[in-house]
Amino acid sequence: MGVEAFGGYLRVPRINPYLPARVEYIGNNTGQASSKDIGKPVKLSGETTALCASGDEIYGFIESVEVGTNNGYSFGGVLADVGHEVIAKDEVGTLVVGDLVVAGTAVALGTQTPTGGYNVKKAAGTEAGIHKWQVVAKYTTGSFAGSVMLRKV
């Protein structure tokens, strides 16, 4: 993904080989997650992770989904450690660099993640909780117009 894909912006997501995704169970034990769910935010749900509903604190974003299951659970990589970066869609259009975000309108499990990333919106008050994702860049031109780059802080 070149800089030109981000409208000439210099702040683009980086891949850090020393900070890999965490392997997590995704959803319940019916093995329903697929590659269509890559990029969706998840929250902690007992011993597994579940897709976020609107307004939920974001634990991490699905990076990969394995083809097989483990005890019926889908599993894959979740970007959840401090320093991870992702692209998301500014649902309301009012995010600015420095804002903390929560999940926006949910996209169902098994439905393709929208182009430009999953919906996020500004956290109100204590909504951001323990797991905080902060806007570090806002894209206004190019194929990612209306999207933001988030970093877990």
Side-chain angles (χ1 to χ4, degrees):
M1 203 178 316
V3 173
E4 53 281 344
F6 294 94
Y9 287 88
L10 297 177
R11 197 172 278 172
V12 297
R14 61 186 160 77
I15 297 171
N16 185 343
Y18 303 106
L19 190 59
R22 292 181 173 274
V23 176
E24 299 275 4
Y25 285 139
I26 302 168
N28 57 33
N29 65 346
T30 59
Q32 73 279 30
S34 71
S35 61
K36 292 180 178 180
D37 300 307
I38 292 172
K40 293 179 183 170
V42 292
K43 60 185 175 183
L44 293 174
S45 179
E47 296 296 316
T48 183
T49 60
L51 288 185
C52 289
S54 183
D56 282 350
E57 170 187 70
I58 301 169
Y59 166 66
F61 287 82
I62 299 172
E63 182 213 34
S64 63
V65 178
E66 296 297 321
V67 176
T69 60
N70 185 345
N71 293 324
Y73 287 93
S74 296
F75 65 100
V78 174
L79 298 173
D81 290 330
V82 171
H84 277 140
E85 297 172 341
V86 299
I87 298 293
K89 194 75 168 173
D90 181 355
E91 181 174 78
V92 180
T94 58
L95 290 174
V96 296
V97 172
D99 283 346
L100 296 176
V101 301
V102 294
T105 302
V107 177
L109 198 63
T111 304
Q112 186 66 47
T113 302
T115 302
Y118 187 86
N119 296 320
V120 294
K121 59 186 179 181
K122 186 173 180 174
T126 59
E127 271 185 332
I130 296 169
H131 302 284
K132 294 176 174 51
W133 288 84
Q134 185 176 39
V135 176
V136 293
K138 183 168 181 156
Y139 306 113
T140 55
T141 61
S143 58
F144 280 84
S147 294
V148 292
M149 183 172 82
L150 306 175
R151 181 179 298 141
K152 185 144 185 195
V153 294

